Amino acid sequence: MLRLLLPLAALAALLRAAKVPERSFGIDYDSNSFVKDGKPFRYISGSIHYSRVPPYYWKDRLLKMKMAGLDAIQTYVPWNYHEPQMGTYDFSGGKDLESFLQLANDIGLLVILRAGPYICAEWDMGGLPAWLLEKKSIVLRSSDSDYLEAVERWMSVLLPKMRPYLYQNGGPVIMVQVENEYGSYFACDYNYLRFLLKLFRLHLGDEVVLFTTDGASQFHLKCGALQGLYATVDFAPGGNVTAAFLAQRSSEPKGPLVNSEFYTGWLDHWGHRHSVVPAQTITKTLDEILARGANVNLYMFIGGTNFAYWNGANMPYMPQPTSYDYDAPLSEAGDLTEKYFALRKVIGMYKQLPEGLIPPTTPKFAYGKVLLQKAGTVLEVLDGLSPSGPVRSTYPLTFVELKQYFGFVLYRTTLPKNCMEPTPLSSPLNGVHDRAYVSVDGVPQGVLERDKSLKINITGQAGAKLDILVENMGRVNFGRYNNDFKGLVSNVTLAQDVLVGWEIYPLDIDGAVNSGIIYLLDHLKRPAVKSLSYEVPTFYTGTLSIPGGIPDLPQDTYVNFPGWTKGQIWINGFNLGRYWPARGPQLTLYVPSNILVASVPNNITVLELEHSPCSSQACEIEFVDEPNINATLKHETEKLPLFVRELWMRHL
């Protein structure tokens, strides 16, 4: 052993004497360049969010990114994904960030880590945990002492895990972003940014490059940039590249030019058209960026999926759909697109593309129609959904006050007077966050919706049960309204009377689905239901059997909802997300093959919130082999410009 160590030590001494650098990554301000291992370095990167791609497919997506010619990937760390309850941390399964980083390293991809604490990302509350709102007056993303205390606790868990993965420590992480687009936030709190800078340096050391990202204007950089954090910008294709980088130069007179978010597409909202950005628009601007020797990150390179309840929303309140396809070079399901090959061709003009085969698009399979049957209404299975029973309160409590951060809560009271004639039930202060399904003694009355439907007429006798099932449709992720409380956030009135005496049921629907409570009910005989334009929220169940005799099954698929209106779907207990074909543009949901099994039937649970086809046509869903996230429907608004950051500024 000694004979082996001495030559190695001597070799290390010779390397130091010759000034051959060890693993290092930094900035050479004199040459306006990054420096990797002592040599000038320019990166071409692409965004992938590990939280939006099943771990089963991480390797496939990363290999496709590598074969496109990317040097690096960029990923966000959503705080609320890892700390769902205060002090409870989860880095297992799909949340195993360290395994994701190691896989990127093994494939030969560098990593640009966007560590937060705020990330935006069209993710619920921009990645901030909803439990922060237990202090109602908290000022998020500021020097508020309670906020800083929570951030410090979280970063003392996250950042030490990240330190071994820094490039100088043998890992793939070359840069770490602090906060995100802070110049677009109203607080403009430099002491907050200084706190983060000090905290990141404490846990990550002095060698790692720390940076910020803001819109490409002096307005955004004024509050987003801070000495000690390298300022980068983001901008869309089709714009003035020279002007955008001149904005960066206003904060960083020297150093590498960096576009940290070069948009390959754009996000969607329910009720609006699917965003599409032509490949030629992107390739033209990408060529301009690379011709300047600038560094670039393509946001997104693969968008992925907002499984379960993780989607965010923008203001005025517009929640994002389950698909985060983003019209990216790799589709939501990781498929190779025309845009992928067009961008790869441009990248190949500036660097040597890797040799080898590009992993093919994964096959899709149309399993066909699956018959569903009614398992029970939410009211019928209420005890199983809320095993701890109701919380009683004079006035409604919010989701946060109930420590229920996602999903659904049922609010129940009694009618204080006879309403034989239609009587207005309303939330005068727009207090339904976000959508409420109203019934009286089990008879459906209608829907209240944030910013859209603040009043409906109901009928019923005095003493009848008034049930309001409230859905959290995703917290605001951008701008000043991150403190997005859910539930009935203000009083509900019947005519002029404020309703009081509430029983409030936090619903653990995911737990009930996984424990089989809902599935056990599907064999109960129930009377035929006459066709109504609106029904009470109801569970339906069925099974999908993977056909035998066909090799390589199960494969990816998409589930379509002909005749269904709005709801949530689980397969084998996995929460696929929200469907809303009545509003669109997304009609099908992506079903990754890893949640399906071939050996036994796959259990399917659907919660339809408004109206199923089961009383008037076939009670079925259909598994198809092509997505439809761009349905042509009667949209609620005119088509918005593709890049609408400027429109959102008025809401900051």
Side-chain angles (χ1 to χ4, degrees):
M1 175 67 80
L2 185 60
R3 277 182 298 198
L4 178 63
L5 287 174
L6 284 173
L8 288 175
L11 178 61
L14 286 171
L15 290 173
R16 283 194 297 272
K19 295 186 178 179
V20 176
E22 300 172 4
R23 284 176 68 96
S24 63
F25 187 88
I27 296 174
D28 183 343
Y29 288 91
D30 293 332
S31 64
N32 296 324
S33 174
F34 289 113
V35 179
K36 178 172 167 282
D37 300 336
K39 297 178 182 178
F41 180 76
R42 184 259 293 276
Y43 68 75
I44 304 172
S45 171
S47 286
I48 174 174
H49 299 158
Y50 63 94
S51 55
R52 285 183 161 126
V53 176
Y56 179 81
Y57 280 128
W58 284 350
K59 185 175 182 180
D60 174 81
R61 311 309 192 242
L62 292 173
L63 282 170
K64 287 171 179 168
M65 297 175 79
K66 175 73 173 176
M67 295 306 296
L70 301 184
D71 307 290
I73 61 164
Q74 188 192 81
T75 197
Y76 278 126
V77 182
W79 179 4
N80 54 6
Y81 195 56
H82 295 285
E83 193 179 358
Q85 310 278 341
M86 186 188 302
T88 302
Y89 304 101
D90 187 356
F91 290 90
S92 63
K95 303 178 181 184
D96 190 348
L97 173 55
E98 291 176 85
S99 290
F100 179 77
L101 296 178
Q102 187 58 54
L103 184 58
N105 199 33
D106 294 343
I107 288 170
L109 286 163
L110 300 169
V111 174
I112 299 162
L113 190 71
R114 310 179 84 177
Y118 165 81
I119 62 169
C120 186
E122 291 73 64
W123 187 264
D124 185 85
M125 206 164 146
L128 298 176
W131 48 258
L132 289 169
L133 301 178
E134 288 175 12
K135 176 192 174 185
K136 284 188 178 181
S137 62
I138 195 167
V139 182
L140 302 171
R141 304 176 68 196
S142 78
S143 295
D144 181 295
S145 59
D146 293 282
Y147 176 70
L148 292 187
E149 183 181 336
V151 169
E152 187 167 16
R153 281 197 312 269
W154 161 238
M155 288 301 171
S156 70
V157 172
L158 173 66
L159 296 181
K161 287 178 177 289
M162 297 299 97
R163 187 159 186 160
Y165 294 92
L166 299 179
Y167 185 76
Q168 60 267 29
N169 296 334
V173 177
I174 53 172
M175 300 167 65
V176 178
Q177 182 177 308
V178 177
E179 247 280 348
N180 186 60
E181 295 180 328
Y182 192 64
S184 297
Y185 193 58
F186 77 96
C188 196
D189 185 339
Y190 294 116
N191 286 331
Y192 167 53
L193 292 181
R194 291 187 189 100
F195 170 86
L196 292 179
L197 171 58
K198 184 177 179 182
L199 185 62
F200 276 56
R201 286 288 176 217
L202 172 68
H203 290 295
L204 298 179
D206 295 329
E207 293 181 36
V208 65
V209 174
L210 300 179
F211 73 103
T212 59
T213 298
D214 282 285
S217 74
Q218 292 188 37
F219 172 83
H220 293 102
L221 286 159
K222 178 185 175 184
C223 293
L226 184 76
Q227 187 173 358
L229 299 170
Y230 191 74
T232 73
V233 293
D234 50 35
F235 56 88
N240 187 326
V241 173
T242 300
F245 283 133
L246 279 175
Q248 186 191 356
R249 282 285 177 247
S250 69
S251 288
E252 299 289 355
K254 295 202 165 193
L257 297 173
V258 182
N259 182 347
S260 287
E261 287 188 11
F262 175 61
Y263 303 110
T264 63
W266 197 243
L267 57 128
D268 287 345
H269 296 104
W270 290 116
H272 298 264
R273 288 176 174 84
H274 172 55
S275 298
V276 176
V277 183
Q280 59 267 33
T281 304
I282 301 163
T283 54
K284 182 176 183 295
T285 306
L286 178 62
D287 188 27
E288 291 181 52
I289 291 170
L290 296 179
R292 293 171 184 269
N295 302 263
V296 64
N297 174 73
L298 292 93
Y299 187 103
M300 298 293 297
F301 204 87
I302 173 171
T305 309
N306 295 314
F307 293 116
Y309 312 111
W310 287 115
N311 66 277
N314 287 300
M315 291 294 288
Y317 189 75
M318 297 183 293
Q320 292 123 17
T322 301
S323 173
Y324 193 63
D325 179 86
Y326 213 84
D327 194 34
L330 292 174
S331 76
E332 176 183 8
D335 296 351
L336 303 168
T337 67
E338 174 195 342
K339 189 176 287 185
Y340 175 93
F341 290 103
L343 291 171
R344 187 175 187 267
K345 183 177 179 181
V346 174
I347 292 168
M349 293 162 53
Y350 291 92
K351 61 170 290 191
Q352 183 72 39
L353 294 173
E355 296 181 359
L357 297 175
I358 301 171
T361 290
T362 54
K364 312 298 185 294
F365 195 85
Y367 298 103
K369 296 175 180 177
V370 172
L371 186 67
L372 301 182
Q373 51 188 341
K374 181 178 176 181
T377 68
V378 167
L379 300 180
E380 287 171 336
V381 299
L382 184 58
D383 289 345
L385 301 178
S386 187
S388 58
V391 176
R392 290 174 172 82
S393 175
T394 303
Y395 300 106
L397 301 175
T398 66
F399 276 42
V400 166
E401 288 170 319
L402 298 164
K403 297 191 185 298
Q404 163 109 9
Y405 303 119
F406 296 97
F408 301 83
V409 169
L410 180 74
Y411 294 80
R412 171 176 285 174
T413 188
T414 55
L415 296 184
K417 61 184 180 183
N418 283 324
C419 301
M420 307 315 293
E421 295 296 320
T423 306
L425 178 79
S426 66
S427 173
L429 299 178
N430 198 18
V432 172
H433 286 197
D434 300 302
R435 196 169 166 87
Y437 308 91
V438 182
S439 62
V440 175
D441 276 348
V443 177
Q445 304 290 314
V447 179
L448 295 167
E449 185 176 353
R450 181 176 182 175
D451 289 348
K452 289 183 168 61
S453 174
L454 307 187
K455 180 170 67 175
I456 60 172
N457 288 324
I458 68 170
T459 58
Q461 294 183 335
K465 286 181 183 176
L466 171 66
D467 288 312
I468 304 177
L469 179 68
V470 179
E471 177 186 8
N472 166 4
M473 288 179 52
R475 292 180 182 83
V476 173
N477 57 261
F478 182 80
R480 71 182 304 152
Y481 298 111
N482 278 151
N483 57 334
D484 189 9
F485 293 89
K486 297 300 184 183
L488 297 181
V489 303
S490 62
N491 286 326
V492 175
T493 61
L494 184 65
Q496 272 68 53
D497 299 328
V498 173
L499 295 176
V500 295
W502 293 91
E503 292 183 347
I504 307 169
Y505 295 81
L507 304 186
D508 181 13
I509 297 178
D510 290 79
V513 169
N514 277 288
S515 63
I517 290 172
I518 294 165
Y519 213 80
L520 293 172
L521 299 169
D522 66 351
H523 299 299
L524 297 179
K525 291 184 178 180
R526 302 188 179 280
V529 179
K530 64 180 180 179
S531 180
L532 298 170
S533 61
Y534 175 68
E535 301 162 8
V536 292
T538 302
F539 290 100
Y540 297 83
T541 58
T543 58
L544 166 66
S545 294
I546 305 297
I550 302 175
D552 301 324
L553 291 186
Q555 291 172 352
D556 288 359
T557 186
Y558 303 91
V559 59
N560 193 27
F561 299 86
W564 300 80
T565 307
K566 184 186 192 305
Q568 202 89 15
I569 180 172
W570 294 258
I571 298 181
N572 293 330
F574 181 85
N575 190 335
L576 270 184
R578 311 174 203 268
Y579 66 88
W580 201 355
R583 189 162 289 184
Q586 179 178 8
L587 299 190
T588 60
L589 266 62
Y590 171 55
V591 183
S593 64
N594 59 286
I595 70 169
L596 301 173
V597 293
S599 55
V600 294
N602 296 271
N603 291 333
I604 298 170
T605 304
V606 170
L607 170 58
E608 170 57 53
L609 296 165
E610 295 186 33
H611 178 69
S612 78
C614 300
S615 57
S616 58
Q617 63 190 73
C619 190
E620 59 193 18
I621 56 177
E622 184 175 12
F623 290 88
V624 297
D625 56 10
E626 290 187 357
N628 187 353
I629 58 171
N630 192 15
T632 303
L633 301 172
K634 182 181 177 182
H635 293 280
E636 295 176 359
T637 65
E638 293 300 312
K639 185 176 181 181
L640 290 173
L642 283 175
F643 305 102
V644 294
R645 181 190 308 276
E646 289 72 20
L647 297 182
W648 294 340
M649 292 301 294
R650 74 184 66 167
H651 302 290
L652 300 181

